[in-house]
Amino acid sequence: GQQVMQIPQYQHVQEGEDFTTYCNSSTTLSNIQWYKQRPGGHPVFLIQLVKSGEVKKQKRLTFQFGEAKKNSSLHITATQTTDVGTYFCAGSKGFYGGSQGNLIFGKGTKLSVKP
Amino acid sequence: DTGVSQDPRHKITKRGQNVTFRCDPISEHNRLYWYRQTLGQGPEFLTYFQNEAQLEKSRLLSDRFSAERPKGSFSTLEIQRTEQGDSAMYLCASSLWGSPDTQYFGPGTRLTVL
């Protein structure tokens, strides 16, 4: 079945350092979503990427969707302690791929930031 | 607060008991999803409703699990004869018909089966 792999599993950084997490799908995706889950919290929607090669920015966060629509990345510039949490990518095959909104989540990258 | 709400937030039960969870989606969202999340894993899809119709079920949803959304608003997820392996966070999410993959999650119900 469809799988979404995410690396690294854990990342420990010093405050101010950059952070990147990578997401790879075994099949072509219609779109990809990114979520952040704080410790003890629930996944919070960050962004959706739809177009091949798309790049979107949210302040210090940069999201990319690969040309083949099989991979994605999230880059955080100059991390802050408020960035702590687990970042999940979630792919969809879309309506024409037979998806009704069944998101396939990666296992997430847990980010810790040392002040 | 107009986000997704879930009740209860925590449930502790003994093996073999039945439990029921409730989810209230964002009011204008007609799609509602149930996911399960265990420690160190991403959410796993269980089932999905469009209005009151249950349109998709994962093979993770055994015969002991049943979900309903009778009036197309709130939904319930029932687990019968709970097993220790059912211990997990049960998350509900909702979305608009036009943007099915932009899903907003509730705070979840953490189930512990003793």
Side-chain angles (χ1 to χ4, degrees):
Chain A
Q2 182 181 359
Q3 289 188 328
V4 172
M5 309 299 290
Q6 205 172 339
I7 57 169
Q9 191 173 356
Y10 302 96
Q11 186 77 56
H12 308 283
V13 300
Q14 189 77 35
E15 189 173 22
E17 292 181 338
D18 293 355
F19 159 76
T20 304
T21 174
Y22 300 91
C23 185
N24 290 286
S25 170
S26 57
T27 59
T28 302
L29 299 170
S30 173
N31 56 54
I32 196 158
Q33 282 61 229
W34 283 91
Y35 288 83
K36 177 183 179 181
Q37 186 170 23
R38 293 182 184 274
H42 59 277
V44 173
F45 176 79
L46 293 177
I47 208 158
Q48 181 187 64
L49 302 172
V50 178
K51 299 177 183 176
S52 170
E54 188 169 18
V55 179
K56 286 188 176 180
K57 294 190 176 184
Q58 287 181 350
K59 298 182 180 179
R60 296 179 293 104
L61 278 62
T62 302
F63 304 84
Q64 292 187 329
F65 201 9
E67 294 290 340
K69 302 184 73 172
K70 294 180 74 172
N71 57 73
S72 182
S73 65
L74 158 60
H75 180 82
I76 302 178
T77 303
T79 55
Q80 300 175 358
T81 55
T82 54
D83 296 324
V84 164
T86 301
Y87 293 84
F88 292 99
C89 62
S92 171
K93 294 173 72 174
F95 178 81
Y96 296 104
S99 169
Q100 304 282 357
N102 173 3
L103 294 181
I104 308 297
F105 280 79
K107 289 189 175 183
T109 296
K110 187 173 183 178
L111 173 65
S112 61
V113 180
K114 187 176 181 181
Chain B
D1 188 346
T2 56
V4 178
S5 62
Q6 291 187 247
D7 184 70
R9 296 290 304 275
H10 303 273
K11 179 70 177 178
I12 299 174
T13 191
K14 293 182 179 180
R15 189 173 52 188
Q17 298 295 304
N18 299 343
V19 294
T20 300
F21 311 140
R22 176 179 171 127
C23 170
D24 287 87
I26 294 171
S27 58
E28 62 268 27
H29 287 186
N30 58 354
R31 293 192 168 193
L32 186 148
Y33 310 83
W34 285 98
Y35 289 82
R36 181 173 69 186
Q37 186 178 27
T38 54
L39 198 62
Q41 303 294 318
E44 294 176 292
F45 172 80
L46 293 178
T47 189
Y48 138 75
F49 291 84
Q50 179 168 306
N51 299 316
E52 65 276 8
Q54 187 174 18
L55 297 185
E56 189 174 350
K57 286 195 272 188
S58 163
R59 63 181 180 278
L60 293 175
L61 214 65
S62 75
D63 292 344
R64 297 184 296 106
F65 288 70
S66 62
E68 294 183 341
R69 195 183 182 198
K71 297 182 180 179
S73 56
F74 73 91
S75 175
T76 59
L77 177 69
E78 182 184 17
I79 309 174
Q80 295 182 327
R81 305 181 303 281
T82 52
E83 301 173 357
Q84 288 184 326
D86 297 330
S87 295
M89 175 76 84
Y90 289 84
L91 293 162
C92 176
S94 69
S95 71
L96 286 168
W97 178 85
S99 302
D101 299 326
T102 303
Q103 298 178 18
Y104 296 90
F105 283 81
T109 295
R110 181 166 295 284
L111 173 67
T112 302
V113 182
L114 301 176

